[in-house]
């Protein structure tokens, strides 16, 4: 009898423990977590490379930590209406997850805090109607009036599923590895999911296949990104980069460019704003934005509120701005003679200005830049002045496509000279028997595109990078009249403007910014303007304008022209036409 009672007590205790454990799991953070409507793209994205870009306190890191926690624990997430968000990671095997922080303190202060500790930014409260715990909603008056009844939510990754740690410095919570317990669906004798933490300051780990790489904020070496890309290939994995781009580098800049490129279907960008974070009171948000406005103006607000790119001291051309270097200026009171001439011509370059075209050839990122040199009578000094007035930028295009897209820019005006990158011009691509210069010359000849001094061919431009950058900087500098020698018409040159702002300096292995451009940038327009600055062409008055007719126009000319007659450019049609 006593044994029976004792056995029943054991069963009751086990049953009570089971009920208690079930309740605890029901109230774990990920099961209660509900993203805001504008944050749901973070969780619904299936892109292999995802940038979660946002301003200060916009929720980007909290959202990303919830995504990583969901993947690591196999926990389904729900949207703001409680609808299940499709789970995108394997559930039948353990995952390998890498966390990349700037330094060791980032591992302890950010990754460990967000994933493995109670977080003050995530709170829960008992619902007055159901008496069940749910996520705290500070924008609701019913919840905000009961702030003292709320409490911090449990860790995203609960302690019950952690098997062991490999610490570098436990007192500072700097961990190298966190191993989770295997789940039943992994099968017998299977290990659990493993989370590795690395700093961006060391050499990137090579060789291991990875399911998810989470990069949080800035990294030391931009060139490491390509190694992280290689790690996710074997498992069809993902890279998620949560960042306020206050100190952008070339890797982040390229990734954002790819995310904004319509051709890149598997790269995505989500932008979160501080002003949309309703977990911060409206009064506090407005106060912070006013503070940013007073400290740095509208640019500071756009950076810290909307997460716009900030390049700072890493810019090769820090003085360039499409507001300062635009022509004509926004205010006509700032006009000099050059600006007045363009304003009088409805914002376009007058036909008596000397025009040149600069080509940066290549298959991946070729570009053409069109510049005009004004007559000396409009220039305040004897130096070379120029206006970037048009461009052609068509990635992954050959010479024929480049010229075809530029025909309207060549028509109706006379060009003095065509310039080409001398280094690339001498190169003979594999599978071809002609140099790049010869290929473009043939293409220009077929399309009847020519300049006065080079015909269908090109003048080789200097490839002295350091000298070219120095000359461009001189042309960008403000002169005594308050206007620069190099200007642009930003409405027609969006790629030039973007690349000039994003053109970055190289960072040494020690983390020092060097006064040389970083490698592997998308910068054909920056190269073109550098070639022009090295040439410093002298103004020559253009002769009468010529029209480079279309291929159809030239076809009819050749077919309808009787032999021996005058070869004019008129096409005669109608009764009696010959």
């Amino acid at each position: 009898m006593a044994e029976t009672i004792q056995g029943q007590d054991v069963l009751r205790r086990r049953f009570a423990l089971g009920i208690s454990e079930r309740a605890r799991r029901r109230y774990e953070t990920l099961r209660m977590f509900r993203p805001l409507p504008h944050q749901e793209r973070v969780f619904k994205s299936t892109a292999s490379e995802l940038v979660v870009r946002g301003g200060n306190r916009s929720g980007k890191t909290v959202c990303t930590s919830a995504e990583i926690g969901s993947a690591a624990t196999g926990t389904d997430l729900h949207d703001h209406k409680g609808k299940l968000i499709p789970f995108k990671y394997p559930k039948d095997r353990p995952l390998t997850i890498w966390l990349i922080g700037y330094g060791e303190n980032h591992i302890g202060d950010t990754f460990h805090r967000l994933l493995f500790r109670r977080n003050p930014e995530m709170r829960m409260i008992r619902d007055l109607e159901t008496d069940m715990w749910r996520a705290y909603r500070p924008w609701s008056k019913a919840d905000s009036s009961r702030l003292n009844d709320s409490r911090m939510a449990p860790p995203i990754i609960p302690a019950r599923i952690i098997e062991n740690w490999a610490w570098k410095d436990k007192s500072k919570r700097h961990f190298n590895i966190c191993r989770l317990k295997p789940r039943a669906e992994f099968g017998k004798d299977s290990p659990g999911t493993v989370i590795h933490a690395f700093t961006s300051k060391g050499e990137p780990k090579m060789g291991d296949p990875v399911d998810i790489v989470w990069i949080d904020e800035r990294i030391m070496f931009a060139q490491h990104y390509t190694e992280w890309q290689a790690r996710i290939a074997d498992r069809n994995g993902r890279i998620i980069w949560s960042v306020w781009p206050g100190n952008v580098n070339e890797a982040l800049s390229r990734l954002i460019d790819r995310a904004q490129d319509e051709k890149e279907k598997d790269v995505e960008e989500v932008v979160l704003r501080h002003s949309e974070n309703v977990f911060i009171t409206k009064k506090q948000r407005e106060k912070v934005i006013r503070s940013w406005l007073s400290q740095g103006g509208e640019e500071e607000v756009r950076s810290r509120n909307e997460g716009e790119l900030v390049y700072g001291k890493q810019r090769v051309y820090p003085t360039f701005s499409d507001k300062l270097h635009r022509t004509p200026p926004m205010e006509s009171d700032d006009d000099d003679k050059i600006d007045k001439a363009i304003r009088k011509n409805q914002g376009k370059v007058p036909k008596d200005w000397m025009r040149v075209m600069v080509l940066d050839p290549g298959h991946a990122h070729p570009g053409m830049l069109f510049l005009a040199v004004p007559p000396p009578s409009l220039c305040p000094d004897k130096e070379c002045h120029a206006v970037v007035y048009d461009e052609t930028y068509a990635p992954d295009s050959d010479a024929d496509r480049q010229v075809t897209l530029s025909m309207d820019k060549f028509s109706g005006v006379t060009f003095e000279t065509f310039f080409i990158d001398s280094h690339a011009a001498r190169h003979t691509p594999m599978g071809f028997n002609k140099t790049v210069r010869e290929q473009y010359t043939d293409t220009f000849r077929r399309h009847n595109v020519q300049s006065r001094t080079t015909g269908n061919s090109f003048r080789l431009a200097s490839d002295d990078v350091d000298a070219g950058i120095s000359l461009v900087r001189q042309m960008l500098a403000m002169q005594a009249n308050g206007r620069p020698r190099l200007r642009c018409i930003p409405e027609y040159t969006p790629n030039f403007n973007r690349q000039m702002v994003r053109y970055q300096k190289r960072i040494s292995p020690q983390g020092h910014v060097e006064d040389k451009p970083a490698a592997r940038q998308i910068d054909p327009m920056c190269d073109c303007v550098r070639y022009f600055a090295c040439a410093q062409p002298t103004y020559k008055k253009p002769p009468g304008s010529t029209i480079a007719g279309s291929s159809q126009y030239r076809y009819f000319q050749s077919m309808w022209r009787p032999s021996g007659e005058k070869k004019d450019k008129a096409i005669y049609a109608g009764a009696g036409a010959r």
Side-chain angles (χ1 to χ4, degrees), residues 263-364:
K263 296 180 181 179
E264 291 279 3
K265 304 299 183 182
D266 203 28
V267 185
E268 191 172 347
E269 177 187 36
V270 178
V271 179
L272 304 179
R273 295 171 176 81
H274 170 88
S275 56
E276 295 174 336
N277 187 357
V278 292
F279 283 91
I280 303 172
T281 65
K282 182 179 179 181
K283 183 178 180 180
Q284 184 62 28
R285 278 179 278 151
E286 292 175 347
K287 178 181 178 182
V288 171
I289 290 175
R290 284 196 302 271
S291 174
W292 291 336
L293 188 63
S294 64
Q295 292 176 23
E298 292 183 2
E299 290 188 2
E300 184 77 5
V301 173
R302 289 198 300 270
S303 167
R304 296 194 175 275
N305 178 46
E306 303 178 18
E308 284 195 5
L309 299 181
V310 179
Y311 294 90
K313 63 181 181 180
Q314 293 178 223
R315 288 181 57 184
V316 173
Y317 300 122
T319 62
F320 176 79
S321 165
D322 59 5
K323 292 183 179 179
L324 295 176
H325 292 86
R326 71 176 296 134
T327 181
M330 299 299 292
E331 299 293 336
S332 59
D333 292 344
D334 298 328
D335 286 359
D336 64 1
K337 291 181 179 180
I338 294 174
D339 300 319
K340 289 177 180 178
I342 293 179
R343 193 183 295 277
K344 184 179 179 180
N345 201 40
Q346 284 74 50
K348 296 183 179 180
V349 171
K351 287 192 174 183
D352 63 339
W353 291 23
M354 184 183 80
R355 299 172 189 247
V356 301
M357 187 277 295
V358 188
L359 170 65
D360 184 30
H363 178 71

Side-chain angles (χ1 to χ4, degrees), residues 136-177:
Y136 175 67
R137 304 165 188 159
W139 62 91
S140 165
K141 290 184 178 181
D143 280 15
S144 61
S145 63
R146 300 169 55 220
L147 175 61
N148 293 335
D149 295 335
S150 68
R151 64 174 63 173
M152 288 190 294
I156 286 178
I157 298 180
R160 66 177 177 82
I161 68 171
I162 298 175
E163 187 168 70
N164 59 59
W165 295 86
W167 296 99
K168 182 167 186 180
D169 189 338
K170 189 174 182 179
S171 65
K172 296 180 180 179
R173 300 185 176 91
H174 297 169
F175 68 96
N176 293 328
I177 301 174

Side-chain angles (χ1 to χ4, degrees), residues 41 47 49-51 53 252-270:
R41 282 184 58 206
E49 295 175 85
L50 173 64
V51 183
R53 176 163 62 93
L252 178 60
S253 180
R254 287 197 300 270
L255 183 59
I256 292 175
D257 283 340
R258 291 172 58 215
Q260 295 173 352
D261 186 346
E262 294 181 357
K263 296 180 181 179
E264 291 279 3
K265 304 299 183 182
D266 203 28
V267 185
E268 191 172 347
E269 177 187 36
V270 178

Side-chain angles (χ1 to χ4, degrees), residues 327-452:
T327 181
M330 299 299 292
E331 299 293 336
S332 59
D333 292 344
D334 298 328
D335 286 359
D336 64 1
K337 291 181 179 180
I338 294 174
D339 300 319
K340 289 177 180 178
I342 293 179
R343 193 183 295 277
K344 184 179 179 180
N345 201 40
Q346 284 74 50
K348 296 183 179 180
V349 171
K351 287 192 174 183
D352 63 339
W353 291 23
M354 184 183 80
R355 299 172 189 247
V356 301
M357 187 277 295
V358 188
L359 170 65
D360 184 30
H363 178 71
H365 295 284
M368 291 183 183
L369 201 63
F370 298 83
L371 301 98
V373 177
S377 59
L378 301 181
C379 301
D381 50 43
K382 296 182 180 180
E383 300 292 339
C384 175
H385 290 250
V387 173
V388 180
Y389 70 89
D390 215 332
E391 62 177 31
T392 299
Y393 177 59
D396 302 317
S397 60
D398 58 12
D400 190 75
R401 177 166 170 74
Q402 281 280 303
V403 176
T404 300
L405 293 174
S406 305
M407 285 305 297
D408 61 327
K409 301 174 177 63
F410 290 115
S411 297
V413 293
T414 299
F415 282 83
E416 178 69 16
T417 307
F418 295 153
F419 294 94
I420 191 172
D421 170 18
S422 61
H423 180 76
R426 295 188 292 265
H427 176 64
T428 302
M430 185 177 296
F432 292 85
N433 58 4
K434 291 185 177 182
T435 65
V436 170
R437 182 186 189 182
E438 291 170 335
Q439 292 179 45
Y440 269 93
T441 298
D442 290 346
T443 303
F444 274 40
R445 185 179 296 113
R446 285 198 309 272
H447 288 269
N448 193 29
V449 174
Q450 57 187 324
S451 73
R452 194 183 68 82

